[in-house]
Amino acid sequence: MEPADAFGLPWAGGCHCGLARYRVDEAPKFIFACHCTDCQQLSASAFAIGMLLPAKGVVWADCDLAEYAKTADSGVISRQYSCRACGTWLYTAKDNTPDTLILRSSSLDARDWVRPIAEIFTASARPWARLSTAFSLPGNVEAPERLIAAFAESDIRPG
């Protein structure tokens, strides 16, 4: 993986009201748009942008986050974490991948540079909401190595 200084780390972010704050110390593995129906409902939009990060690379300030757990059709438990005060959806953690989390990049303080390299769950995408990305997958990511390599070679960086 690319050195952290190529990403201008650390980054800061948090919820809408400012109660829940965090710092990102490790570079993302890749960024994606998720068109699954859960992301559509949780984001109140056509898709949600997710940034796959090492879980140890995100340091949370002392804050009390709300957790909502749902068992996906695959049987995997997906846990959504939000600010208890304003409800901002901050990240998702999946029980089958405890070493990573999916940060909702809209919660970064500086996020103008963020763009997805892939879109997933396109089978449930709104027809008008499809994106022009390097990868377009009808379901979940089955081979993350391809996305990780493509993201590392991309020009998607802050700055």
Side-chain angles (χ1 to χ4, degrees):
M1 175 137 290
E2 205 167 329
D5 57 0
F7 285 89
L9 294 167
W11 305 326
C15 67
H16 188 66
C17 73
L19 184 64
R21 297 291 300 165
Y22 63 84
R23 184 184 74 237
V24 176
D25 291 334
E26 293 195 33
K29 294 174 184 270
F30 60 89
I31 301 169
F32 62 97
C34 182
H35 295 277
C36 78
T37 55
D38 286 343
C39 282
Q40 289 174 14
Q41 288 182 317
L42 289 163
S43 68
S45 186
F47 54 84
I49 303 293
M51 180 179 285
L52 186 69
L53 290 161
K56 65 183 175 60
V58 182
V59 179
W60 293 90
D62 186 24
C63 56
D64 185 23
L65 299 178
E67 176 188 313
Y68 167 71
K70 181 182 183 219
T71 303
D73 292 341
S74 66
V76 173
I77 296 174
S78 178
R79 300 173 191 280
Q80 314 331 304
Y81 293 90
S82 327
C83 173
R84 238 179 240 291
C86 68
T88 301
W89 180 22
L90 296 164
Y91 76 99
T92 299
K94 296 184 177 190
D95 285 7
N96 66 333
T97 55
D99 294 336
T100 62
L101 61 79
I102 301 166
L103 184 72
R104 299 299 154 198
S105 57
S106 58
S107 67
L108 288 169
D109 291 349
R111 59 189 172 268
D112 290 348
W113 65 275
V114 174
R115 71 179 193 274
I117 196 157
E119 57 180 343
I120 64 173
F121 288 101
T122 58
S124 54
R126 304 298 86 204
W128 49 265
R130 294 296 303 274
L131 304 172
S132 178
T133 59
F135 297 89
S136 183
L137 308 170
N140 205 353
V141 177
E142 300 300 329
E145 300 78 20
R146 295 181 332 167
L147 302 181
I148 292 168
F151 183 75
E153 294 172 12
S154 77
D155 65 348
I156 303 172
R157 302 289 182 274

